[in-house]
Amino acid sequence: MPEFDTLVRQFSDTLAAAGRTERTIENYLYALRGFGRFLQPRTITEAVCDDIVAYQRPLGSRQLSDSSVRVATYALRFFYREVLEHRDWNYARVPPPRRPHRLPEILDAAEVEAILAAAPNLKYRVAFMTVYGSGLRTEEFLRLEPSAIDAARNVIRVSMGKGRKD
């Protein structure tokens, strides 16, 4: 397995150089390791494009979310295209799973009030109100600095949100 470990490190370095977040790198490495187990006894360098398509089937049958299957697909595409430089592969044969179009679940006023009432103190109540009212993700809220709140204009500036976007 030394060759596989070397490729994993190279993949991690390539992802970091491409500016991927630590979380994305972890997810992509997890997908690569899973694919390596799927291929056994063959090695990851012996795989062909159709192996990625074949790998998608068991992922879907394991009741994984569409986004988990999509992350695995993008990870493998990136690995084979950028690390192993298989640019001649027909990646169109490796389609990402469909994104489900779901409507968000809307809480009614009583449910929102129950959540706010469950806050153990004022600090948590303000946090819940801010997250719910602004639609912030948990990580975005946790990184929020007091200077990012412009109370006069009722604006919150989110820096380095999902995908490192402001």
Side-chain angles (χ1 to χ4, degrees):
M1 286 297 261
E3 178 189 14
F4 183 75
D5 293 338
T6 302
L7 289 171
V8 167
R9 273 193 303 283
Q10 187 179 354
F11 188 35
S12 179
D13 293 345
T14 304
L15 288 165
R20 299 302 194 274
T21 65
E22 200 58 43
R23 187 175 199 145
T24 298
I25 293 171
E26 287 172 18
N27 289 336
Y28 277 29
L29 294 177
Y30 181 81
L32 183 65
R33 288 184 180 104
F35 186 61
R37 287 188 300 275
F38 170 79
L39 286 173
Q40 288 180 349
R42 294 183 298 146
T43 66
I44 204 142
T45 56
E46 296 172 316
V48 294
C49 193
D50 288 336
D51 289 325
I52 299 173
V53 176
Y55 180 59
Q56 286 179 319
R57 286 186 213 108
L59 290 179
S61 67
R62 285 185 10 214
Q63 305 299 321
L64 292 178
S65 69
D66 287 343
S67 65
S68 294
V69 178
R70 199 170 33 261
V71 166
T73 302
Y74 292 145
L76 296 173
R77 280 183 181 180
F78 189 92
F79 175 75
Y80 282 100
R81 185 180 294 141
E82 302 301 324
V83 176
L84 295 184
E85 297 181 352
H86 289 311
R87 293 193 172 90
D88 57 328
W89 282 11
N90 181 6
Y91 290 99
R93 291 189 33 76
V94 186
R98 288 183 317 125
R99 281 190 172 189
H101 296 286
R102 296 186 204 129
L103 293 175
E105 186 176 324
I106 306 295
L107 302 176
D108 65 34
E111 291 170 318
V112 173
E113 193 53 48
I115 291 171
L116 297 178
N121 59 41
L122 181 61
K123 178 173 87 173
Y124 284 96
R125 185 175 169 87
V126 169
F128 293 166
M129 292 171 71
T130 303
V131 169
Y132 179 76
S134 64
L136 289 173
R137 292 179 167 87
T138 304
E139 292 294 320
E140 293 169 344
F141 176 75
L142 293 175
R143 281 194 237 107
L144 199 58
E145 297 287 330
S147 62
I149 300 170
D150 184 349
R153 295 187 313 157
N154 280 335
V155 174
I156 298 175
R157 177 172 171 75
V158 178
S159 298
M160 301 301 283
K162 184 174 180 185
R164 292 187 178 173
K165 296 177 186 154
D166 290 348

